[in-house]
């Protein structure tokens, strides 16, 4: 699940609108992570998943617009994790890396002709594994990703520019299998 702490700025027809805000709806997603344990303490991983769709909601001066647009995006992350110690079957870890988010499509809503640029940003991660067997583990982790997007569109006949910093926090639950 991803939850967004959105901040940003907006302008309509070139004039800043201080009270115009955009919020993104929380979303559930399915992901696949491939990793390699480089040493007993270090691992690297690559994460991708099924592209989710989020709704951009107008807030403040944009509130009358309700749902501005629905956006389908893909995200991939490349990171490294440090496993400093274990407590029996529990093995905590911390990590970080770089995530890249690309916009696949936008549709519906009150903002037409929405164009959003792809972007990349760093992330930090914290989690733990519970080793069920030597090969099978359950895990939970949380990632904080810093992102920023610039978008252009129209509300009615007026051109709109929006800079959005969604800065998602995602929590992942899953199973891990070692080959």
């Amino acid at each position: 699940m991803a939850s967004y702490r959105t901040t940003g700025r907006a302008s309509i027809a070139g004039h800043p609108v201080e009270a115009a805000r955009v919020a993104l709806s929380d979303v559930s997603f399915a992901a696949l992570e491939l990793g390699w344990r480089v040493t007993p303490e270090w691992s690297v991983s690559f994460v991708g998943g099924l592209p989710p769709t989020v709704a951009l909601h107008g807030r403040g001066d944009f509130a009358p617009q309700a749902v501005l647009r629905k956006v389908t995006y893909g995200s991939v992350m490349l990171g490294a994790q440090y496993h400093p110690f274990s407590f029996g079957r529990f093995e905590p870890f911390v990590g970080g890396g770089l995530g890249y988010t690309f916009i696949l499509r936008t549709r519906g809503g009150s903002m037409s002709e929405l164009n959003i640029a792809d972007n990349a940003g760093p992330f930090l991660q914290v989690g733990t594994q519970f080793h069920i067997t030597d090969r099978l583990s359950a895990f939970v982790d949380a990632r904080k990703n810093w992102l920023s997007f610039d978008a252009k569109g129209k509300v009615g006949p007026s051109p709109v520019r929006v800079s959005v910093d969604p800065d998602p926090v995602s929590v992942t639950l899953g199973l891990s299998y070692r080959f």
Side-chain angles (χ1 to χ4, degrees):
M1 180 173 156
S3 180
Y4 301 91
R5 308 288 181 256
T6 309
T7 60
R9 299 160 306 286
S11 65
I12 298 175
H15 303 290
V17 181
E18 295 301 322
R21 299 283 181 260
V22 175
L24 281 80
S25 58
D26 293 349
V27 64
S28 295
F29 60 91
L32 177 66
E33 183 170 3
L34 301 173
W36 179 44
R37 198 68 172 256
V38 181
T39 71
E41 294 84 22
W42 288 96
S43 61
V44 294
S45 66
F46 176 80
V47 179
L50 297 175
T53 299
V54 296
L56 301 175
H57 298 276
R59 298 289 187 257
D61 286 351
F62 277 166
Q65 303 302 322
V67 174
L68 298 172
R69 200 83 170 153
K70 291 187 178 181
V71 178
T72 302
Y73 68 92
S75 186
V76 293
M77 295 181 170
L78 180 62
Q81 296 80 32
Y82 177 58
H83 308 256
F85 46 81
S86 63
F87 299 106
R89 292 179 179 251
F90 284 96
E91 183 180 4
F93 57 89
V94 294
L98 186 66
Y100 184 79
T101 300
F102 46 97
I103 307 305
L104 297 171
R105 82 177 188 172
T106 68
R107 61 185 165 78
S110 59
M111 184 179 280
S112 62
E113 301 175 33
L114 183 64
N115 213 349
I116 305 171
D118 299 348
N119 211 329
F123 71 86
L124 291 177
Q125 172 185 22
V126 62
T128 190
Q129 296 184 86
F130 175 75
H131 298 286
I132 300 166
T133 68
D134 288 344
R135 295 189 180 269
L136 184 65
S137 300
F139 70 91
V140 60
D141 74 4
R143 297 173 198 229
K144 169 69 173 164
N145 198 339
W146 287 270
L147 293 170
S148 182
F149 294 96
D150 291 321
K152 295 178 187 177
K154 289 187 177 181
V155 174
S158 302
V160 176
R161 284 186 82 109
V162 180
S163 295
V164 177
D165 301 327
D167 297 340
V169 173
S170 60
V171 176
T172 309
L173 296 166
L175 292 175
S176 170
Y177 185 81
R178 287 187 182 176
F179 293 96

